[in-house]
Each structure stands twice: as structure tokens, then as C-alpha cells.
Amino acid sequence: MYVYDSFDQKVVDERVAQFREQTERYLDGQLADEEFLPLRLQNGLYIQRHAPMLRIAIPYGLLDSTKLRKLAELTETFDKGYAHFTTRQNIQFNWPALEDVPDILAGLAQVQMHAIQTSGNCIRNTTTDQFAGVLRDEIADPRPWCELIRQWSTLHPEFAFLPRKFKIAVNGSPSSDRAAVRFHDIGLELVRNDVNELGFRVFVGGGLGRTPLVGQLIREFLPTQHLLSYLEAILRVYNLLGRRDNKYKARIKILVKALGADAFRDKVEAEWTYLKDGAATLTEAEVNRVAAHFIDPDYASLDDADALLAQQKVDNPAFAQWLSRNVHLHKKPGYAAVTLSIKKLGYAPGDCTADQMRSVAQLADEFSFGELRVSHEQNLILADVRQDRLFDLWEAAKLVGLATANIGTLSDVICCPGGDYCALANAKSIPIAESIQSRFDDLDYLYDLGDIDLNISGCMNACGHHHIGNIGILGVDKKGEEFYQVSLGGDSGQNARVGKILGPSFNADDIPDVVDKIVQVYVDHRHQDELFADTVERVGLEPFKERVYAKSH
Amino acid sequence: MQNLIKNGALQPDDAWVLIVDEATTAPTDAPAIWPLQQYLVQRQSGQLSGQPHGVWLNEEQMVDELAEVLDELALVALHFPKFADGRSFSKARLLRERLSFTGEIRAVGDFLPDQVDYLARCGVDAFACRNEQEANTALSMLDTFSVHYQSDTHQTPLFQQR
């Protein structure tokens, strides 16, 4: 975990003081609503349906128990005792009072947290794989690069008033992409070249929302020392040339599409010739300084606990299920990474109470060096658990309702807060998630279905990433009534694809049946061990359309 | 021009006259900040006075359009049609760092006091604020942050100082 030095601490402290002063000027009437708007947004503060909403950064998804306990305390002091983990490694408070926000930010600064640039037309929180640093196949740990990007992008003087929001994600593993880098404004993939030097593949112009697009590869290999100067070149081209006349056409993906990837690349490379080797060029000393914060914890020298786990599995089928769904391979023998599901039936996906936060903090202290991660699927991860303690962890997690063995299944729904909270939403999303979760509450059936990403958004801003769900559900408004459009075949990984719309939209009440029929078609058509996404790709939409839209007699 | 901050201080007696458009009368005895196109026309026809010259860019005009005349200019103003338009931040850096412009860069139009420290870091050294209150606020916000991560037109990145 990166630990602030006195410089980092000063930045967040001075930011709190600045925002306190800005809030006072606003409450005094010195700042108009529209003037305060970009200032508050750059501190994560929205005005929402019920009250302000405060979005707090969890940089590249990394937390520790101290931070989590502080979040728990802040939700109790200033909110209703719970908060919401989002799909972009942030956490949101839904009911803070505007007047209290400076104090909340001050509380966050005490534990080296902030809400800087979690919203607004600026560079947002950089995201990565929740298993960063513990994977066997990783080319390099993406987290130091994320932290370097965090610092570079924090209060960047040139890029605080971009045409639109700007999101960067980094992935370090060649065999999987859990950070959905191809659906970001800039996606970076760590690679090695033929002489084994570390660098990045650079994708630009991916994104969801109204115009979902897969990012285009504009550079096959960027040496790591040039990371920041190259980002600067991309951002400068975008800042100067991105559309500002229409907010729906202002994202960099529209610029890349309009120019074409080649012409866009030429502009970036031309800009970069001036910036390359300039002040932003990273030094080895700085890279090493930051990387030193992400060295392995004090792992014990262990062997894999295969025999023990095998016995425990035989004795406890439920534990076996949890192992197979929620426990992930680890680079270090004798260790495992564990996903604690916060997708229990009856709880809105991503919501977490102060008590649950304290429980997770306790589990992290007891089982995983006091650290944890947040995934874009809205779950929490203990990344460094001894295999011989998995059973104890499972029992402890069960007691606090965090051991639902559904990771990767249909009931591990990604879902935005939707119309229950969000002023932008056209439709509710949480009740849809709940109705599907309660229809598919038989774990054995879910295991038989295997991995299926089900993503739900309450509007086309796509916070629930519906486009890239294997099954995507989008809330739409038709003359004041809420309907739901279903898409199939989306994929957030290396095989990045936007899902295709199945057909006319449905009533909320019909959605569990619709999902059920979709699943039946899959079961009818799948080959042995074929994943849902692969079946959809092979058979196409027709069989699904036929079943779902069949006239009932 | 009133409510002007220049080189970190309020500047009560500024001689520059901003020529908003062709309807604005050009002064004969004071330096003027011309719209770019008008400046080019005046220059072409040899009608420029012996006073120092300035040019302002609207949001669409890029700094490379100035390349040919930049040596003649004592001042370049960057106009904010609305404060959310951030193009001038990049333009100021390009003027300083790419085109090595050493004259005055002045922010004019609809910018916020809360933006002046970022603008100053990008190379803007004069701010024509909308009113006296904003000028005072802007002045107090020029050094909101004592630490900056990134390089700017004044300093190298923090990582080189760590």
C-alpha cells in the first residue's frame, strides 16, 4: 500500500482547506450554482435525488483496515451508516449534508484518502485489476504505475477542465483483463518487448454510455519511463481538439472515431515529439520509490495446502463451493486471494453497512495483512490469505454474511444505484437486480450455469456497465414509464465486445422470466463445458429472440 | 483595464485597451489587444501604431496561428467564453514551452478565481477579473497549493525534488 509522505499529505490537506473555503463562498452566495458545480464535482460532490452524493476515491481499488474503519465511522457520523461501492473503485455516501462535506474530506485526509477528481470533466480515479500483485501470470504489478498516474493526474493544472470526464485503467496480466482497459478513455496493458524491457500497449477511445466503443490500439510499445509524457500528449490533443459543443459527443472516443485511429495516433505522436524526454520523463529513482510501496507482504514460506483443503472440501460441500467460486489462485505457494461477496440477496449490490465494513476490516487484519481491495464487480477482496486458514476465514465471513459463494455467477450482479438514488436514472435498477437474484437463488443451478456476467444500469450513462455484461439490462423511460432493454454477448475482457440488443424492451415484472428463458436457451444449446458468452457468440441472438419473444398461447 | 492581477499583485493602472470587435474604437495613444484576424489585416495594410501590440485568441483559435507574428507581440490574451472551456490552459503552456513566448499572457473573459492558480502554473501571468471581489478572491487563491506533483512552466515535477 502506498504510504503518503509529507508532500502527499500536504496536497490532500490543502485540498480540504480549499474546498472548505469554496463551500463557504457558495453558502455565502459569492459563488453561483453553476460556478460551484465544477468545483464541487472535482471534489466528488454531486447534488442528487435525495441529497448531495459524495464519491470518494479508492485509488486502484486498494484499501486497508484503518481506511475502512474510518469510512465506517464517517458514514455513521455524517450519513446513514452505510455506503456504496461503485464499478470504478470508488465508494459513495448517499446522504451527506453539503455543510459537512469539508469535515468528511478532513476525516478522509487523516487516513490518506480523498475525493479529488472522482467526478467532473477531469482525469478520474485510475483503476486496475483487483488481483494486481498476486497473480502468477502477471508481467508486472500495475499498482506502482497506477500510483504514478494518480500523482501525475492529481490537480494537474492543464487538464482540470477537459471537454468531458476522462478515465484511465491499467492491466498487468497477459491472459486476462479484469480492469476492462479496452472500455476506458485510455487503457494501458503492461507488456515486455523482444529484449525484455517493460512497457505499455496503449488503447485510446474506449468507453460506454450512449456510444459504447472498444478502445483502439494506438501504440504497441511505450517504454515505461515515457508513460507520463505520452499521457500528457494524448490529453493535450484531446483538450485542444475534443468537441465542446455537445456533451454527448465530447468524450475522447468521439474524437478518435471522427479522426480515425491512425490520424489520432499521428497527432499524439507529433505532440509527443515535443514532450518526449522532457520534464515528465520518469526517473528510475521515482519508479523505484513508488514501487517499494508495493513489495510483497511478509509471506510465510509455505507449500500449497492441497491435502488439507481436499479433506475440508469433502467434509464441507458448502466450503468446497465457496473455494471454487470465491477463492483465486495466488502467485505465492500456500496463499490464496479471497473475494468476499457483498451480493447477498436482499442487499443492493455494492451497498455495505458500517458494521460490515468493520467486519471486513477485522477479517483483513486477521487473515490478510490488514489490506483489501475493491473490485469493479463491487465486491471486496482479501488478497493474501494463507490456504491453511481459508476454512477459518470462511466460517468467520459466514457469521457476518460475507461468504455468499456466488462470485462470477448470475447472482453476482453488477448494478448501479439507479432511480432509487440517482438523479440521472431513467429507471430503478436495484429492484431488478433483486428480482433476478431471488429467482436464481439456487446455488447448485447457478454453478451448473457457470460464469455469467449480468450487468444492470438504470440509464444509458452505463454506470452498471450493461453494455459489457454477457447479459446486460438497461433501464429506459417511455413516456414516464420504466422499461428494460436486454442485450447479450457483451464482454469486458481481452475479447472486448459491446452486447447486442435482443429486441423490444420489457416490463420490470417480466425481467426474471426473460433472464430465465435466456438461460434456458443457453442450457439447451451449450456444448460440454461451454461458457455462456461462448454459446451466445456461436449461436447468435436468434434462438434467444425466438424463445424470449415467442407468443404465448 | 480594471481588476487586473499581474505578476501576483493587483494592477490599478493598466494601459492596454481590449478591442472586442470591429465596433470598438482602436486607440491611437495606448497599446491595444486586437482580435487576431483584425490584427493580421491591420498589419497587412501597415496601419499599426507605434504602440506595443497585443492579440487575443478566441476559444477556437490555436497558438500556431500566431507563429508568424509572435515576435511582434508584447501580449497574448486568451479569451474564456465560459469558464468550463479548458483549451486556454493548454494554449498557455504551448505559448510558453513550445513557442518560448516571454511576453504577457493574459486571461480575459469568463474564468473563475478558483482557476487562476492552475492558469498561472500553465504560464498565464495576468488576469483580467470580472469585478473587484473576484480580483481579491483570485489574488488570495494564487498559491492555494504549496506542493505540485506535475511540472509546469515554473518548476520541475515533484519527483525530481523528492
Side-chain angles (χ1 to χ4, degrees), chain B:
Chain B
M1 213 174 270
Q2 294 167 343
N3 308 312
L4 182 74
I5 297 172
K6 198 164 162 175
N7 297 318
L10 282 167
Q11 194 81 14
D13 52 349
D14 179 60
W16 289 95
V17 175
L18 184 71
I19 316 250
V20 178
D21 53 32
E22 285 170 22
T24 315
T25 313
T28 51
D29 56 348
I33 309 171
W34 299 90
L36 174 59
Q37 287 313 325
Q38 212 171 326
Y39 177 77
L40 294 174
V41 170
Q42 298 276 336
R43 180 178 179 265
Q44 188 72 29
S45 55
Q47 289 178 21
L48 291 170
S49 71
Q51 296 282 347
H53 306 302
V55 155
W56 65 270
L57 297 181
N58 69 28
E59 68 275 18
E60 302 285 347
Q61 291 165 331
M62 295 291 151
V63 294
D64 46 13
E65 297 175 52
L66 288 172
E68 203 182 309
V69 300
L70 198 59
D71 288 348
E72 306 162 13
L73 302 178
L75 183 153
V76 174
L78 301 171
H79 179 248
F80 280 75
K82 46 187 187 237
F83 61 78
D85 190 325
R87 280 175 274 195
S88 291
F89 293 79
S90 288
K91 289 187 213 176
R93 286 198 82 162
L94 288 171
L95 278 169
R96 291 285 184 232
E97 294 173 343
R98 181 91 30 99
L99 302 174
S100 304
F101 181 64
T102 55
E104 178 178 326
I105 301 179
R106 181 178 294 199
V108 299
D110 181 22
F111 61 90
L112 295 179
D114 308 79
Q115 294 175 308
V116 296
D117 72 330
Y118 282 167
L119 282 166
R121 291 184 61 201
C122 289
V124 178
D125 53 4
F127 304 90
C129 298
R130 294 182 295 194
N131 56 53
E132 190 182 344
Q133 186 186 40
E134 289 204 350
N136 286 318
T137 307
L139 197 58
S140 74
M141 300 189 113
L142 263 174
D143 41 23
T144 304
F145 291 94
S146 62
V147 179
H148 306 123
Y149 282 118
Q150 317 78 3
S151 65
D152 56 33
T153 52
H154 305 288
Q155 64 182 47
T156 55
L158 179 62
F159 65 73
Q160 300 205 352
Q161 303 156 45
R162 267 182 153 130

Side-chain angles (χ1 to χ4, degrees), chain A residues 128-413:
Chain A
T128 191
D129 185 341
Q130 68 269 26
F131 297 118
V134 302
L135 294 172
R136 282 188 189 174
D137 74 337
E138 212 164 65
I139 281 179
D141 188 342
R143 294 172 302 170
W145 305 106
C146 291
E147 174 59 24
L148 286 161
I149 295 169
R150 183 191 76 85
Q151 295 187 17
W152 164 80
S153 60
T154 294
L155 310 180
H156 195 299
E158 189 178 341
F159 304 129
F161 296 90
L162 295 169
R164 277 285 270 149
K165 58 187 171 183
F166 202 93
K167 300 171 179 179
I168 303 174
V170 189
N171 184 42
S173 166
S175 59
S176 63
D177 174 10
R178 267 175 290 266
V181 301
R182 288 160 187 79
F183 287 105
H184 282 74
D185 296 292
I186 296 178
L188 299 167
E189 236 177 32
L190 280 158
V191 285
R192 287 196 183 276
N193 66 6
D194 43 17
V195 288
N196 207 34
E197 290 163 336
L198 192 62
F200 298 96
R201 300 177 83 201
V202 182
F203 295 89
V204 177
L208 301 176
R210 278 165 202 255
T211 316
L213 287 169
V214 177
Q216 310 238 29
L217 183 67
I218 64 159
R219 192 165 238 278
E220 194 61 59
F221 188 81
L222 176 72
T224 51
Q225 73 269 26
H226 299 307
L227 173 65
L228 302 182
S229 64
Y230 201 78
L231 293 180
E232 208 138 301
I234 296 171
L235 265 297
R236 185 172 286 169
V237 168
Y238 171 55
N239 192 35
L240 287 170
L241 300 181
R243 282 183 66 169
R244 290 174 186 269
D245 57 327
N246 179 341
K247 74 179 269 198
Y248 301 113
K249 295 188 173 170
R251 296 287 295 270
I252 195 173
K253 62 190 173 186
I254 304 293
L255 178 66
V256 174
K257 197 176 173 213
L259 291 172
D262 289 337
F264 179 80
R265 172 196 297 117
D266 291 346
K267 285 191 187 302
V268 170
E269 294 283 333
E271 187 63 38
W272 191 50
T273 56
Y274 295 103
L275 297 169
K276 184 173 184 278
D277 300 320
T281 308
L282 282 164
T283 60
E284 209 178 319
E286 174 65 358
V287 172
N288 290 339
R289 183 187 75 85
V290 172
H293 289 282
F294 299 95
I295 54 171
D296 284 348
D298 196 9
Y299 291 126
S301 183
L302 302 169
D303 291 324
D304 282 333
D306 294 341
L308 173 70
L309 291 173
Q311 188 57 49
Q312 288 170 332
K313 284 200 276 194
V314 171
D315 296 343
N316 297 276
F319 177 65
Q321 290 171 342
W322 182 76
L323 273 188
S324 81
R325 294 303 329 181
N326 295 36
V327 177
H328 204 87
L329 267 184
H330 198 285
K331 67 178 181 186
K332 191 76 185 165
Y335 282 86
V338 173
T339 303
L340 300 171
S341 172
I342 46 176
K343 306 292 180 64
K344 199 181 168 182
L345 182 60
Y347 293 86
D351 276 8
C352 196
T353 66
D355 287 342
Q356 282 177 320
M357 289 183 215
R358 290 200 183 88
S359 299
V360 174
Q362 179 64 31
L363 294 176
D365 282 341
E366 212 173 317
F367 293 97
S368 196
F369 301 95
E371 289 194 5
L372 62 141
R373 288 98 180 283
V374 180
S375 69
H376 85 266
E377 292 94 351
Q378 303 170 290
N379 288 308
L380 299 174
I381 287 90
L382 303 182
D384 300 294
V385 181
R386 284 175 65 129
Q387 291 174 5
D388 57 11
R389 302 204 63 205
L390 284 169
F391 191 82
D392 296 341
L393 169 59
W394 177 64
E395 298 240 282
K398 269 199 299 183
L399 287 177
V400 289
L402 293 164
T404 308
N406 64 343
I407 299 306
T409 70
L410 193 60
S411 75
D412 183 14
V413 178

